[in-house]
Amino acid sequence: AAKGLGGERLELIAEQTAWLADEGIAVTDDSFKYQWDEDVDAVVKAIFTSDGFLKDGEKAKEGDMVGIVLDKSSFYAEAGGQDPDLGTIAILSADDEKPSGQVVINDVQVYGGYVLHTGIVSQGASISVGSPIKCQVDYARRRDVAPNHSMTHVLNAALRDVLGETCDQRGSQCNDEKLRFDFSFKSALSVDQLRDTENYVRDTIEKKLPVTAKVMPLAEAKAIPGVRAMFGEVYPDPVRVVTVGEDSSVEFCGGTHIANTEEAEAFVLTEETAVAKGIRRITALTRGAARKAIEGGAKFEKLTSELEALPADETPDLDKRAGALRKDLDSGEFSAALKSELRARIEAVQKKGIEAKKRLLAGRVDKCLNDVNADVEKALAEGKKALVLNLDIGADSKASQKVIKAVQKLAPEMAFLGISEEEAGSGGKILCFAVVPDALVKEGLKANEWIKEVLDMCGGRGGGKPGSAQGQAPTCADVDAVIAKAESFVANAVPVA
């Protein structure tokens, strides 16, 4: 058994459909599949299992997976990119026509004209060939599938209008959650093309156009101006033609559709991607799912506007806020055109935040250098050989080099270790760097060992040489303790003063 929509799928091969024909069992009359909100009475003509067909008198019992062939059916079998109907087959008592149990249908396929309803026999029930039944389609679910199918037709027309007549359908899939449409086009759609395509479909919904179906000879159908057919598909004769409005969309199609475009309620094109060379895929939503996506898009528009209103020079973490919003945006399900627009706006805010952070950091570095000069001069006056400072230069390695140069210029014979938090008091990332003159290296103080000893206590790593080393730790809950450790290490290595 293969995988079906709701579980395992039973499949008929040519040998089995031939057996049905030899037994005088007519192909299933599935003309009732276009009806809505009506249960159809039928009779079981054959029951197929993983072990083959049941014989006359044999029964399928509770828990059995069966494939049921009926004389007639209101279930839509999977075809034309549309998922099958789901529902139940109510097993009727022969005498009073009251349900004595049911088969929960999780897959419907058609093989050589025989519609096979696959499902599980319910608790306490049994079914056999000849059993009277009632087809009970889940029409609520179909009401979510049908608008998705109808809107693939409108989407097809929209793409031809926006991209040109060379854009051809290459496949589709419609279920109760979304629609997917594959088409030939050489490149990704621009934001304007995505928006125009989405608006075309939305306008068609707002126009409340009728959706009609008519069966006609294939030759006559092919002569209809603007009619569209799936590339490479073989159509029956006569063929069913589905039309939206007067001529907004005219396609050969055997699927179930809404009666008016307004039943789709809303439309959102959520994604456009490549699936193969020269083949693009659009994913879209209708009805409640589309309304939810529209609300989600409006929420992100509001959040983006609020982010843009923040003053960059007064919001140190603006770039991080923008990055977090961008991450949420990318995982959100709403209009692809709107998402592209908002992504560009958020990236602009992120860039503005990074530039502001650089300006703020430059000011902090200048102030820090002045403080370092004063601290070094004081240490020299006190005759110290080593100095440990808590700096305010973020985690900027370039700024650390400026500090080292300032220290070496004023006190070339002094050992120095600097510690700086990326964000003061955050408990987050810290930068640690050290420089040791040759004379103190000979006495036993090595910059790389100094750095390692300091960073080990907060899970960081560093490297370098005896004369110069640096490293980082991803988190540091107690900077004062790290500074104390650095001072005790150097005190044990060489006299501080």
Side-chain angles (χ1 to χ4, degrees):
K3 271 288 182 184
L5 187 65
E8 294 297 316
R9 170 188 292 168
L10 293 171
E11 297 178 317
L12 299 179
I13 60 176
E15 179 184 350
Q16 289 146 356
T17 55
W19 181 88
L20 290 169
D22 290 343
E23 290 294 307
I25 298 173
V27 296
T28 310
D29 177 6
D30 66 348
S31 59
F32 303 93
K33 66 188 176 186
Y34 297 120
Q35 295 180 173
W36 287 81
D37 302 318
E38 290 186 25
D39 295 341
V40 172
D41 292 321
V43 176
V44 176
K45 306 303 290 183
I47 299 177
F48 184 65
T49 71
S50 57
D51 296 323
F53 288 102
L54 294 188
K55 298 175 183 178
D56 287 343
E58 292 183 331
K59 291 184 176 182
K61 297 181 175 61
E62 175 187 332
D64 289 346
M65 182 174 71
V66 294
I68 300 173
V69 178
L70 304 171
D71 59 340
K72 54 183 175 288
S73 176
S74 54
F75 282 85
Y76 178 84
E78 182 176 3
Q82 179 179 325
D83 276 8
D85 280 334
L86 303 181
T88 58
I89 285 179
I91 306 166
L92 305 178
S93 301
D95 50 355
D96 56 9
E97 293 191 352
K98 290 183 179 179
S100 61
Q102 65 180 15
V103 179
V104 179
I105 302 302
N106 55 42
D107 190 54
V108 185
Q109 302 291 321
V110 61
Y111 303 98
Y114 295 100
V115 177
L116 191 70
H117 310 74
T118 299
I120 305 295
V121 181
S122 67
Q123 184 175 3
S126 64
I127 189 170
S128 58
V129 174
S131 294
I133 65 94
K134 191 180 289 289
C135 295
Q136 298 176 326
V137 173
D138 183 350
Y139 287 109
R141 177 180 172 278
R142 189 195 279 184
R143 280 191 167 81
D144 286 327
V145 178
N148 284 337
H149 196 159
S150 298
M151 289 308 105
T152 61
H153 288 215
V154 178
L155 177 59
N156 194 0
L159 289 168
R160 294 199 312 274
D161 182 76
V162 174
L163 305 180
E165 289 294 325
T166 58
C167 169
D168 283 319
Q169 181 177 352
R170 286 292 183 268
S172 65
Q173 187 66 46
C174 311
N175 57 33
D176 56 328
E177 296 179 348
K178 61 188 175 183
L179 65 92
R180 193 186 72 204
F181 188 84
D182 296 348
F183 59 100
S184 59
F185 198 62
K186 60 185 178 180
S187 61
L189 272 63
S190 66
V191 174
D192 287 341
Q193 288 170 330
L194 288 170
R195 188 188 305 107
D196 291 346
T197 301
E198 187 173 62
N199 287 338
Y200 183 105
V201 181
R202 289 179 175 179
D203 289 345
T204 303
I205 292 172
E206 291 179 5
K207 288 176 182 177
K208 302 180 180 180
L209 301 179
V211 181
T212 57
K214 183 179 180 181
V215 177
M216 62 179 67
L218 184 59
E220 181 182 337
K222 286 182 176 179
I224 298 174
V227 70
R228 303 296 292 188
M230 177 69 179
F231 178 81
E233 189 81 12
V234 177
Y235 291 94
D237 189 5
V239 68
R240 186 166 179 261
V241 180
V242 175
T243 304
V244 178
E246 291 293 327
D247 56 3
S248 293
S249 168
V250 185
E251 292 192 29
F252 298 165
C253 182
T256 57
H257 288 270
I258 53 181
N260 191 289
T261 57
E262 70 173 325
E263 293 175 43
E265 299 176 11
F267 180 84
V268 176
L269 192 164
T270 59
E271 187 178 35
E272 190 270 333
T273 58
V275 292
K277 185 177 181 180
I279 305 295
R280 310 294 302 178
R281 171 172 292 170
I282 278 175
T283 303
L285 308 171
T286 64
R287 299 193 77 200
R291 292 195 303 272
K292 184 178 178 181
I294 290 170
E295 291 171 2
K299 181 192 79 171
F300 276 107
E301 274 193 286
K302 181 174 181 292
L303 290 172
T304 302
S305 295
E306 290 172 351
L307 187 73
E308 289 172 324
L310 293 173
D313 289 334
E314 298 173 21
T315 314
D317 63 342
L318 183 61
D319 60 323
K320 289 189 175 181
R321 290 195 195 186
L325 183 58
R326 164 69 189 271
K327 186 177 180 180
D328 291 342
L329 179 92
D330 288 341
S331 63
E333 187 175 43
F334 59 97
S335 170
L338 177 59
K339 183 177 286 189
S340 292
E341 293 172 0
L342 296 182
R343 188 182 290 119
R345 287 167 60 184
I346 292 170
E347 286 174 354
V349 172
Q350 194 166 22
K351 182 179 179 182
K352 185 171 69 172
I354 291 171
E355 291 172 348
K357 184 175 281 189
K358 287 180 179 178
R359 290 195 300 272
L360 290 169
L361 181 59
R364 286 163 57 191
V365 170
D366 288 343
K367 181 180 182 303
C368 179
L369 288 173
N370 290 331
D371 293 342
V372 167
N373 287 337
D375 289 335
V376 170
E377 287 175 352
K378 181 181 178 183
L380 283 173
E382 295 173 355
K384 291 183 177 180
K385 292 184 178 181
L387 180 64
V388 177
L389 290 179
N390 186 356
L391 306 170
D392 183 23
I393 58 171
D396 187 346
S397 58
K398 289 184 179 179
S400 71
Q401 294 303 310
K402 291 183 179 180
V403 172
I404 288 172
K405 286 181 179 179
V407 171
Q408 289 179 323
K409 183 177 180 181
L410 284 174
E413 298 304 316
M414 180 183 289
F416 177 83
L417 184 144
I419 295 171
S420 178
E421 296 177 271
E422 185 173 34
E423 293 181 15
S426 68
K429 181 178 177 181
I430 63 165
L431 173 69
C432 186
F433 55 96
V435 59
V436 179
D438 291 342
L440 293 182
V441 170
K442 291 176 181 178
E443 290 186 34
L445 178 62
K446 297 179 181 179
N448 52 340
E449 293 177 356
W450 200 6
I451 289 291
K452 183 180 184 304
E453 185 76 13
V454 169
L455 291 179
D456 275 352
M457 68 179 297
C458 52
R461 295 178 63 184
K465 299 177 181 180
S468 177
Q470 65 176 3
Q472 295 180 347
T475 59
C476 182
D478 191 346
V479 176
D480 289 339
V482 173
I483 292 172
K485 182 69 173 178
E487 289 176 338
S488 66
F489 180 87
V490 73
N492 291 330
V494 294
V496 175

